[in-house]
Amino acid sequence: MKRAVVFGGAPIEPALQPPVPEAELYLCADAGIRLAEAFGILPDLVMGDFDSLGCVPEKVHVRVFPPEKDDTDLVIAAKYALEQGCDEVVFYGALGGRLDHTVANFQLLRMLADHHARGILVDEKTRVTLQRGGKVAYPRCRGYFSLFAWSEICEDVTVEGTKYPLLHGTLSPSFPIGVSNEIVAEHAVVTVGRGDLLVICSQE
């Protein structure tokens, strides 16, 4: 596994964030450089149009993009991580800001899955990832464990180790039956026959 950590510019409190994991690549999207600096991390590359930061940073490696573009700055950073061979991308500062950007970041998880990579969005209360089929064990977390269909349909879904288990069920985007579950075992084990599940661990 080759991991990248990407810092975004959402307004979060650095001191409250979970520890940043070791990675082969550290990237910043626009104002995400402020978050990296707060963590004491010198990024390998800072990318974006720098409309949020308000200036092009100095003393770091920078790639500047025009504001009129199809990709968000986080998507640009994620694509670069893929080009460098990363198959796991962890995002800090990608939650808690503008709602439209948060939804875009959820979609970014699916883009990464399309390239056989795993994306994880984290902040002090939330961890979001996408499961495309298969069987995955999720460690017990305080708070809620929610599953949402992030494709047209999710079939043959089995959820074990939770307060509300599910056996060979079907989840659709039009009915959030997977919201507000709880992990009661050491791990929740989620098996998906077909489809994309958005997996959210959240604390109140």
Side-chain angles (χ1 to χ4, degrees):
M1 183 183 69
K2 185 176 181 179
R3 176 186 292 135
V5 173
V6 177
F7 299 98
I12 61 174
E13 177 54 55
L16 300 178
Q17 305 311 303
V20 177
E22 292 187 2
E24 286 74 22
L25 190 64
Y26 293 97
L27 304 172
C28 295
D30 200 320
I33 188 171
R34 293 177 180 146
L35 185 56
E37 290 173 344
F39 279 118
I41 292 174
L42 179 65
D44 297 290
L45 185 60
V46 185
M47 316 172 75
D49 53 28
F50 300 105
D51 59 345
S52 298
L53 187 62
C55 63
V56 177
E58 300 178 351
K59 300 181 180 179
V60 289
H61 297 293
V62 173
R63 285 192 184 178
V64 182
F65 294 82
E68 296 81 9
K69 60 188 186 305
D70 292 333
D71 290 339
T72 67
D73 293 333
L74 276 179
V75 170
I76 289 173
K79 286 184 174 180
Y80 180 81
L82 291 172
E83 290 170 3
Q84 303 309 304
C86 296
D87 51 14
E88 181 177 279
V89 186
V90 183
F91 297 88
Y92 286 74
L95 298 169
R98 281 171 42 184
L99 180 59
D100 55 344
H101 280 185
T102 300
V103 174
N105 295 338
F106 288 170
Q107 291 186 326
L108 174 56
L109 298 178
R110 192 168 182 183
M111 184 208 81
L112 288 167
D114 289 342
H115 290 83
H116 310 290
R118 181 187 185 206
I120 306 169
L121 312 174
V122 297
D123 68 12
E124 68 272 19
K125 292 186 176 181
T126 311
R127 183 180 178 92
V128 186
T129 190
L130 184 137
Q131 179 177 338
R132 174 164 290 173
K135 184 175 185 178
V136 178
Y138 298 92
R140 187 170 186 172
C141 59
R142 293 182 300 162
Y144 297 104
F145 180 72
S146 298
L147 305 174
F148 300 96
W150 206 240
S151 55
E152 183 177 357
I153 198 165
C154 290
E155 296 179 323
D156 196 17
V157 178
T158 294
V159 183
E160 304 168 276
T162 57
K163 183 176 181 179
Y164 305 105
L166 181 66
L167 184 62
H168 303 301
T170 299
L171 276 69
S172 77
S174 60
F175 183 49
I177 192 173
V179 72
S180 296
N181 206 339
E182 298 175 42
I183 301 177
V184 295
E186 191 70 21
H187 290 82
V189 179
V190 179
T191 306
V192 181
R194 182 176 71 90
D196 291 346
L197 272 184
L198 195 67
V199 182
I200 302 179
C201 296
S202 57
Q203 301 177 37
E204 288 186 304

